[in-house]
Amino acid sequence: MKTNAVRLLDTLGIAYELRAYEVDPEDLRAGTVAEKIGLPVEQVWKTLVCRGDRTGVLMAVLAGNEELDLKALARATGDRKVDTVSLKEVQPLTGYVRGGVTAIGGKKDYFVVVDETIELHDVVSVSAGMRGLQILLAPTDYVRVVKGTLAPIARSV
């Protein structure tokens, strides 16, 4: 399957692997995706859509076993306050549905902050832009493609 994210990686000549899995719309947790694609949950990264009072809409990317620290994200972006956007805003802003959001090849290039622990892995998995399909790639390639800023934005759950 060729999503916009996959097409963009092809255009840029970035090496990746696709892994498809069966989706349970009632369980879109990263831990469930990790089990289905055979990776540890800390290598399956999720993308959250947020809004800062100064930055506007942005994306926060962190490991599936972590929780977003909104104060740390605000520090990283120079915002006084950051919140996640409501679920009903996600698709209009990104073009992606919940469980399929990715910072690669979206409707618009938003500011992207990636938790700095991404560098601890050889390979990470991110959504390919639809539920049921993940892209596995090198963290350095991912950060470069999304023009991500590395910062400590996650905390253990």
Side-chain angles (χ1 to χ4, degrees):
M1 290 217 195
K2 293 283 184 168
T3 63
N4 287 344
V6 173
R7 282 189 207 76
L8 179 60
L9 294 177
D10 286 345
T11 300
L12 296 172
I14 297 204
Y16 64 89
E17 176 189 335
L18 291 178
R19 288 210 186 150
Y21 63 95
E22 194 160 319
V23 178
D24 174 356
E26 301 301 312
D27 186 2
L28 300 172
R29 293 174 302 127
T32 303
V33 174
E35 282 176 28
K36 291 182 178 185
I37 65 168
L39 279 179
V41 68
E42 59 271 10
Q43 285 180 257
V44 176
W45 286 60
K46 57 190 175 186
T47 304
L48 303 176
V49 185
C50 302
R51 183 177 283 118
D53 64 340
R54 295 177 177 157
T55 312
V57 177
L58 63 123
M59 293 184 167
V61 184
L62 59 153
N65 62 330
E66 301 281 352
E67 184 177 275
L68 179 60
D69 181 335
L70 290 168
K71 288 182 179 172
L73 181 59
R75 281 192 298 276
T77 60
D79 288 296
R80 288 183 305 262
K81 184 177 183 339
V82 175
D83 272 312
T84 54
V85 302
S86 68
L87 192 52
K88 69 177 194 256
E89 290 183 276
V90 170
Q91 190 168 5
L93 287 171
T94 66
Y96 297 122
V97 297
R98 179 175 167 254
V101 176
T102 184
I104 303 172
K107 251 171 118 168
K108 189 174 173 196
D109 285 338
Y110 292 113
F111 185 64
V112 178
V113 181
V114 181
D115 188 70
E116 64 188 7
T117 60
I118 197 166
E119 295 181 315
L120 301 176
H121 306 285
D122 294 332
V123 171
V124 293
S125 170
V126 296
S127 175
M130 62 180 279
R131 292 176 181 170
L133 192 62
Q134 291 281 302
I135 297 171
L136 281 66
L137 74 170
T140 51
D141 287 337
Y142 175 76
V143 172
R144 188 167 40 95
V145 168
V146 301
K147 299 176 183 78
T149 297
L150 294 177
I153 60 167
R155 61 175 171 241
S156 296
V157 179

